[in-house]
Short mmCIF file of all heavy atoms in Angstrom, two decimals:
data_model
loop_
_atom_site.label_atom_id
_atom_site.label_comp_id
_atom_site.label_asym_id
_atom_site.label_seq_id
_atom_site.Cartn_x
_atom_site.Cartn_y
_atom_site.Cartn_z
N HIS A 134 31.81 -1.62 22.35
CA HIS A 134 31.18 -2.80 22.94
C HIS A 134 29.93 -2.44 23.74
O HIS A 134 28.99 -3.25 23.81
CB HIS A 134 32.19 -3.54 23.82
CG HIS A 134 33.39 -4.01 23.08
ND1 HIS A 134 34.54 -3.26 22.97
CD2 HIS A 134 33.62 -5.14 22.35
CE1 HIS A 134 35.43 -3.91 22.24
NE2 HIS A 134 34.90 -5.05 21.85
N GLU A 135 29.89 -1.29 24.34
CA GLU A 135 28.72 -0.87 25.10
C GLU A 135 27.51 -0.74 24.17
O GLU A 135 26.41 -1.23 24.48
CB GLU A 135 29.01 0.47 25.79
CG GLU A 135 27.82 1.06 26.53
CD GLU A 135 27.37 0.20 27.70
OE1 GLU A 135 28.23 -0.52 28.27
OE2 GLU A 135 26.18 0.24 28.03
N ALA A 136 27.71 -0.08 23.01
CA ALA A 136 26.61 0.05 22.05
C ALA A 136 26.17 -1.32 21.55
O ALA A 136 24.96 -1.57 21.38
CB ALA A 136 27.04 0.93 20.88
N ALA A 137 27.11 -2.21 21.34
CA ALA A 137 26.77 -3.55 20.86
C ALA A 137 25.92 -4.29 21.88
O ALA A 137 24.92 -4.96 21.53
CB ALA A 137 28.04 -4.34 20.56
N ALA A 138 26.26 -4.17 23.18
CA ALA A 138 25.48 -4.85 24.21
C ALA A 138 24.05 -4.32 24.24
O ALA A 138 23.09 -5.11 24.36
CB ALA A 138 26.16 -4.65 25.56
N VAL A 139 23.89 -3.02 24.12
CA VAL A 139 22.54 -2.44 24.09
C VAL A 139 21.76 -2.95 22.88
O VAL A 139 20.58 -3.31 22.97
CB VAL A 139 22.64 -0.90 24.07
CG1 VAL A 139 21.26 -0.28 23.87
CG2 VAL A 139 23.27 -0.39 25.36
N GLN A 140 22.41 -2.99 21.72
CA GLN A 140 21.74 -3.45 20.50
C GLN A 140 21.38 -4.93 20.59
O GLN A 140 20.33 -5.36 20.08
CB GLN A 140 22.64 -3.19 19.29
CG GLN A 140 22.77 -1.71 18.96
CD GLN A 140 24.07 -1.37 18.27
OE1 GLN A 140 24.91 -2.22 18.01
NE2 GLN A 140 24.25 -0.07 17.99
N LEU A 141 22.21 -5.73 21.27
CA LEU A 141 21.89 -7.15 21.43
C LEU A 141 20.67 -7.33 22.33
O LEU A 141 19.84 -8.24 22.11
CB LEU A 141 23.10 -7.89 22.01
CG LEU A 141 24.32 -8.00 21.09
CD1 LEU A 141 25.47 -8.71 21.80
CD2 LEU A 141 23.97 -8.75 19.80
N GLU A 142 20.53 -6.50 23.34
CA GLU A 142 19.34 -6.57 24.18
C GLU A 142 18.08 -6.21 23.37
O GLU A 142 17.02 -6.83 23.54
CB GLU A 142 19.48 -5.62 25.37
CG GLU A 142 20.49 -6.12 26.41
CD GLU A 142 20.61 -5.17 27.60
OE1 GLU A 142 20.59 -3.94 27.38
OE2 GLU A 142 20.69 -5.67 28.72
N THR A 143 18.22 -5.25 22.48
CA THR A 143 17.10 -4.89 21.60
C THR A 143 16.73 -6.07 20.70
O THR A 143 15.55 -6.37 20.49
CB THR A 143 17.47 -3.67 20.74
OG1 THR A 143 17.83 -2.58 21.60
CG2 THR A 143 16.32 -3.27 19.85
N ILE A 144 17.74 -6.74 20.16
CA ILE A 144 17.50 -7.91 19.31
C ILE A 144 16.78 -8.99 20.10
O ILE A 144 15.84 -9.64 19.60
CB ILE A 144 18.82 -8.44 18.74
CG1 ILE A 144 19.41 -7.43 17.74
CG2 ILE A 144 18.63 -9.79 18.07
CD1 ILE A 144 20.82 -7.78 17.28
N ALA A 145 17.20 -9.21 21.36
CA ALA A 145 16.55 -10.23 22.20
C ALA A 145 15.08 -9.92 22.39
O ALA A 145 14.21 -10.82 22.35
CB ALA A 145 17.27 -10.32 23.54
N ARG A 146 14.75 -8.64 22.60
CA ARG A 146 13.35 -8.27 22.76
C ARG A 146 12.56 -8.51 21.46
O ARG A 146 11.39 -8.92 21.49
CB ARG A 146 13.24 -6.82 23.20
CG ARG A 146 13.68 -6.60 24.65
CD ARG A 146 13.29 -5.22 25.14
NE ARG A 146 14.02 -4.17 24.44
CZ ARG A 146 15.21 -3.71 24.85
NH1 ARG A 146 15.81 -4.23 25.92
NH2 ARG A 146 15.80 -2.73 24.19
N LEU A 147 13.19 -8.22 20.31
CA LEU A 147 12.52 -8.48 19.03
C LEU A 147 12.28 -9.97 18.82
O LEU A 147 11.24 -10.39 18.28
CB LEU A 147 13.34 -7.92 17.87
CG LEU A 147 13.47 -6.39 17.79
CD1 LEU A 147 14.38 -6.01 16.62
CD2 LEU A 147 12.10 -5.73 17.62
N LEU A 148 13.25 -10.80 19.25
CA LEU A 148 13.10 -12.25 19.09
C LEU A 148 12.01 -12.80 19.99
O LEU A 148 11.55 -13.94 19.79
CB LEU A 148 14.43 -12.95 19.39
CG LEU A 148 15.58 -12.68 18.40
CD1 LEU A 148 16.84 -13.41 18.83
CD2 LEU A 148 15.19 -13.12 16.99
N ASP A 149 11.61 -12.04 20.98
CA ASP A 149 10.53 -12.47 21.87
C ASP A 149 9.16 -12.15 21.28
O ASP A 149 8.13 -12.54 21.85
CB ASP A 149 10.69 -11.78 23.23
CG ASP A 149 9.84 -12.41 24.31
OD1 ASP A 149 9.77 -13.66 24.34
OD2 ASP A 149 9.24 -11.66 25.10
#
Side-chain angles (χ1 to χ4, degrees):
H134 300 92
E135 176 65 28
V139 173
Q140 290 153 1
L141 292 178
E142 288 181 320
T143 303
I144 292 172
R146 288 192 293 272
L147 293 177
L148 293 179
D149 194 42

